Amino acid sequence: MQKLLIKALKNIGDQSRIIEYRRVPGGDINESYYVRSQKHTYFIKCKKHPPQKFFQLEALGLEKIRKTNSIATPQIYGIGERDGYGYLMMEWIHGKKTGQTGEWLGRGLAEMHKHKGPGFGFQEDNYIGLLPQKNSYISSWIDYYREFRLEPQITLAVQKELLPTSTQKKLDKILTHLDQWLPKDCIPSLLHGDLWGGNWLPGYNGKPYLIDPAIFYGHHEFEIAFTELFGGFPSNFYESYQEVFPLSPNYEERKALYQLFYLLVHLNLFGISYLSSIENIVTRYVG
């Protein structure tokens, strides 16, 4: 691993000696390292035989968010490969939350969501975790959510034999009647796409940074629904978000339907423990 880290630094022009490196927590998918050279400090994540364009797409998402000038992301230093390992080099972010961190996070995310795309979707396929996500630009949010988000996850869960037949039938009903609950006239907002509490962190003076995106353009309430699924967001995050980009009065009615997608993702990634939550949602909407 040290040889990979040395090569990574040399590829970005840092020829100085590595003073310290250590493995740090960085999720279940990649190996992550804190690396301090004589010149700079880095965060480097790597994976053996990563999926095609895995780190390139992550970097693209971070850069897309950065260019909105709404909320911070770590600076990207380099992407490369050595001995079958792909890697992504980024700025090392370290800090503690302050009383204003949640407010800044909410306002920044709301401003990011105001950036409108050419349609619902994205120009590149990408990943959520290790699961591939197909993308394209289409004009209907309802069709996009059905065809590019829910249906692929349902199909995968069926292939893995994780969904009982009765639940499959109820999910089919939901797919058929999405227009009963989802808006027909929302704007395609730039979304992080995988925004749970572990995918943002505080930097210097509590400044919030977004990490590990799975970006696309979609209904902004879809993103907010996921932030409520597993917690990890301060109460003033929601207050400040609504001051900038208010949620509709119908948000609570469709929140669980948006959370359904992420529960299906977790079912496919982590197994049957998420099935009961999925069944509770489908029963709520179609009996």
Side-chain angles (χ1 to χ4, degrees):
M1 186 54 62
Q2 187 174 10
K3 290 181 179 179
L4 183 148
L5 300 178
I6 292 171
K7 178 184 177 181
L9 266 62
K10 286 184 177 179
N11 283 350
I12 63 167
D14 186 346
Q15 306 284 341
S16 65
R17 183 172 61 88
I18 292 178
I19 298 171
E20 178 188 4
Y21 78 93
R22 64 178 185 269
R23 189 162 178 177
V24 295
D28 301 318
I29 295 174
N30 307 297
E31 297 179 33
S32 301
Y33 292 88
Y34 164 90
V35 180
R36 182 164 63 93
S37 73
Q38 292 175 310
K39 184 177 179 181
H40 200 63
T41 303
Y42 307 92
F43 176 73
I44 302 180
K45 57 198 307 186
C46 51
K47 182 172 180 59
K48 193 165 189 178
H49 305 308
Q52 185 178 19
K53 297 178 67 177
F54 187 69
F55 289 123
Q56 289 89 339
L57 289 165
E58 179 177 345
L60 173 65
L62 290 169
E63 183 66 8
K64 194 81 172 179
I65 292 171
R66 186 192 67 80
K67 286 183 176 179
T68 67
N69 294 314
S70 57
I71 191 164
T73 60
Q75 183 177 346
I76 303 295
Y77 293 121
I79 305 166
E81 185 175 339
R82 178 190 169 94
D83 299 331
Y85 275 88
Y87 64 84
L88 172 62
M89 299 182 63
M90 293 182 285
E91 174 186 8
W92 173 259
I93 304 297
H94 182 70
K96 293 183 179 180
K97 299 175 188 176
T98 70
Q100 290 183 290
T101 298
E103 177 184 346
W104 293 334
L105 180 62
R107 289 186 181 278
L109 187 70
E111 292 292 347
M112 187 186 96
H113 285 171
K114 287 187 172 184
H115 284 260
K116 183 178 178 181
F120 295 99
F122 197 55
Q123 73 262 24
E124 296 242 23
D125 297 345
N126 57 17
Y127 300 90
I128 184 161
L130 283 174
L131 298 180
Q133 291 194 132
K134 291 290 184 181
N135 274 311
S136 183
Y137 282 124
I138 65 175
S139 60
S140 166
W141 166 241
I142 295 172
D143 290 344
Y144 181 83
Y145 190 50
R146 178 192 298 114
E147 297 168 18
F148 288 83
R149 287 298 176 264
L150 289 178
E151 284 183 349
Q153 295 300 326
I154 293 169
T155 299
L156 182 58
V158 171
Q159 292 171 350
K160 291 186 169 191
E161 299 183 345
L162 293 170
L163 286 175
T165 302
S166 59
T167 307
Q168 293 178 42
K169 291 179 179 178
K170 289 181 179 180
L171 284 165
D172 286 342
K173 287 183 181 179
I174 285 178
L175 292 175
T176 302
H177 298 290
L178 280 178
D179 58 348
Q180 292 184 14
W181 306 290
L182 303 191
K184 299 178 179 64
D185 57 354
C186 59
I187 68 167
S189 296
L190 179 63
L191 307 183
H192 175 282
D194 191 14
L195 191 56
W196 63 290
N199 279 350
W200 72 273
L201 48 83
Y204 181 70
N205 284 339
K207 179 181 178 179
Y209 287 73
L210 298 187
I211 59 173
D212 296 346
I215 66 167
F216 70 101
Y217 291 93
H219 186 203
H220 71 119
E221 292 180 0
F222 174 79
E223 187 116 283
I224 299 303
F226 188 33
T227 68
E228 294 195 63
L229 185 57
F230 299 130
F233 289 78
S235 60
N236 58 350
F237 161 81
Y238 297 100
E239 296 166 4
S240 59
Y241 182 93
Q242 294 236 55
E243 289 175 4
V244 178
F245 201 164
L247 304 176
S248 76
N250 297 323
Y251 167 68
E252 289 295 332
E253 296 177 18
R254 53 181 166 251
K255 177 172 71 175
L257 198 57
Y258 284 158
Q259 292 173 339
L260 175 61
F261 166 73
Y262 289 105
L263 290 168
L264 287 165
V265 168
H266 280 70
L267 177 71
N268 286 320
L269 286 173
F270 306 115
I272 203 71
S273 61
Y274 291 92
L275 179 60
S276 61
S277 297
I278 291 168
E279 290 179 330
N280 289 338
I281 290 175
V282 296
T283 299
R284 170 182 169 180
Y285 285 96
V286 296

